[in-house]
Structures are given as C-alpha cells and as structure tokens.
Amino acid sequence: MKFKFIEERIATIFMYLAAFIVVAFLGSILWTIIKNGFPYLNWSMISKLPSGGFYIGGDGGILNAIVGSLYIVAGATILGLLISIPVVFYLNVYLTTHSKFAQLCRLTYDVLFGIPSIVYGAFGFTLMIYFGLRTSLLAGIIVITLLIIPIFIRSMDEAAKELPKDLMDATYSLGATRLEALKIFIKQIAPGIGTATFLSIGRAIGDTAGVLFTAGFTDNIPTALDEPAATLPLSIFFQLSSPSSEVREKAYAAALLLTLIILVLSILGRIFFHKYSKNKLR
C-alpha cells in the first residue's frame, strides 16, 4: 500500500510538472510577442496599406494582409461546411455503425488531418502548374479548404456519434425521409459544428505554407478571385526576413494581432459550445 501511495504521488508530481511546462511555454511565447509587439501595434498599422517600401522600413500598415486572410478564411470555411456536413450526415445516417466503408473514410480523414500544410500547398501548386493557373485568392481558398475539411469532418463526426439512435428512429417513424431528417441532425450536432468551425478558422488563418505557394502576396487588397492575396502569416514571415529592425518590430505587432484573433476565436468557440450544448437532446 505504501509503495502504491508513493507511486501515485510521483505520477501526480509529473502531471503537475508537465502542466507547468506547457503553461510556462505558452506564457513565454505570449510574453515575447506582447513585449516586442504591443508598442508598435496601433490603428495606423491596422487600417493602412503598405506604402513606400513598407517591408524595408517604409510607412503604411498590414490592412492588405488582414483583409486577404479574412477573404481566404471566409471562403474556405463556407466551402468546408458545404462539403463536410453532407459527408458527416452520410457517414452517421446512411451507413451503419460497423460499416467497413465508414471506417475506411474515418481512417482516411485521420491521415489527412495529420498531413502538414506544406504538402497541401505543394499539391495545390502542382495543380496550378498543370492547369496553367497563377497565384490567386481562389487558389488560396481551395487549398485552405482542403486543409480544414478533415478538421471539420472529424470534429463533427465525433459529435454525431453521440446522437441518440432513438431520436433518428423516431424521426423516421413519423414518415420523414433521411434528407428531411438532416435539419434535426444539424440542430443536434450544432455544438460540434460550431467547435469545428472555430477550430478550422484558427488553423486556416494561421497557415503559412499552404498560401505561400497558392495565394501569393500583394500590397493591395484583391478585388477579384484571380488576383493574388496577402495573408497575416506571410506578412509576418516577410517582415521578420527584413534587414530593418523597425520592420522586424512591426512583425511582432502583426504576430500579436494574429494571436489575439485566434484567442478570440477560441473563446467564442467555447462560449458557442456551452450555449448550444445545453439545448441538445440526450
């Protein structure tokens, strides 16, 4: 008994130590970004386009990167939802629980989930070369959509697995078709959809490798899908690569802005989940 007590205490100490290391690591990252970026984060930087050689020490801001990121994330999120919801509905309603095909699909999405974004970027770049396309907002949206679809599907699929089977059976007993049951299905997995959406947005807005090959970069705000688009991660990358210390300091301000956006999305995701999970049938 004494040995088991000592073993439990040692395991507890290691768990607290691991938690402390993670929190300390996160705190050090936030402290570095805030210390170096907060003095340079101002409204002028957020609201203006680059001008006068911004990336070599000129004036202006990163409005082009902010808007470009929002365009790509919004387009990818909409496409991702339109593709993912029918897939999850098919896996959980049309296929049986022990379906071999469903298990193969889930395994495939798990593999896709773990593929680095640079691979998606290279794949998108290969397609662009094959079809003779150039870097553009549309290419960036497509690649980011491919990147976040596995996140959407696996997150919503886990929520759909918790649905009571009696609920769907009761829906069918009232004469509803499977497509008519889709509304009830979506309502019941709404917390999962919300969580998946915020997770996907956080992954999409912070991706660099995927858009580096496909969306390109520009100092202007794109007005058409075939025009290149700047993004915040690429803006930070180019600023940190600048020989000017002033530009590198602005990179930390852009990194702080990106971190704040992801933090807000994470908080909204938790609020959404807790709000709508209260109305979910058990």
Side-chain angles (χ1 to χ4, degrees), residues 34-282:
I34 293 173
K35 182 183 70 173
N36 295 303
F38 186 76
Y40 301 93
L41 184 62
N42 51 59
W43 179 247
S44 176
M45 180 180 177
I46 297 174
S47 61
K48 292 183 178 180
L49 294 173
S51 62
F54 176 74
Y55 294 101
I56 56 174
D59 298 324
I62 55 173
L63 180 61
N64 61 321
I66 296 173
V67 176
S69 291
L70 293 177
Y71 280 169
I72 290 177
V73 169
T77 301
I78 293 172
L79 285 178
L81 282 172
L82 291 176
I83 296 172
S84 302
I85 291 178
V87 172
V88 174
F89 183 71
Y90 177 75
L91 289 176
N92 289 275
V93 177
Y94 278 80
L95 297 180
T96 61
T97 306
H98 304 290
S99 169
K100 297 294 184 181
F101 181 68
Q103 294 176 5
L104 176 62
C105 289
R106 291 187 173 98
L107 176 62
T108 302
Y109 292 126
D110 286 338
V111 173
L112 291 174
F113 185 90
I115 292 178
S117 61
I118 187 72
V119 177
Y120 286 97
F123 173 72
F125 185 68
T126 302
L127 290 180
M128 290 166 58
I129 293 177
Y130 180 79
F131 290 106
L133 303 176
R134 62 177 184 176
T135 55
S136 63
L137 175 62
L138 177 61
I141 290 174
I142 292 174
V143 167
I144 296 301
T145 301
L146 296 176
L147 177 68
I148 64 176
I149 280 178
I151 303 176
F152 270 124
I153 293 178
R154 294 304 288 132
S155 299
M156 289 189 289
D157 185 51
E158 291 301 320
K161 289 179 181 179
E162 300 298 323
L163 278 181
K165 297 297 182 182
D166 293 341
L167 175 64
M168 302 309 295
D169 292 338
T171 304
Y172 299 143
S173 67
L174 294 175
T177 64
R178 286 178 173 175
L179 289 179
E180 290 172 338
L182 179 61
K183 292 182 179 179
I184 297 176
F185 179 83
I186 292 176
K187 182 178 180 180
Q188 289 302 303
I189 67 168
I193 295 176
T195 302
T197 300
F198 287 112
L199 287 174
S200 299
I201 291 175
R203 174 74 184 275
I205 201 170
D207 179 69
T208 304
V211 294
L212 175 64
F213 293 116
T214 55
F217 199 84
T218 177
D219 287 345
N220 301 312
I221 296 176
T223 57
L225 289 174
D226 60 346
E227 295 181 0
T231 58
L232 274 172
L234 281 183
S235 176
I236 296 169
F237 172 76
F238 290 136
Q239 288 170 337
L240 286 175
S241 303
S242 172
S244 170
S245 60
E246 180 184 355
V247 176
R248 292 197 298 270
E249 289 163 349
K250 291 179 180 179
Y252 284 105
L256 176 58
L257 178 62
L258 181 60
T259 303
L260 290 174
I261 292 174
I262 295 176
L263 178 61
V264 169
L265 290 173
S266 300
I267 294 174
L268 289 176
R270 288 183 174 272
I271 293 174
F272 184 92
F273 178 80
H274 287 296
K275 178 180 178 180
Y276 286 93
S277 61
K278 293 178 181 178
N279 300 323
K280 182 180 176 181
L281 293 176
R282 297 292 183 183

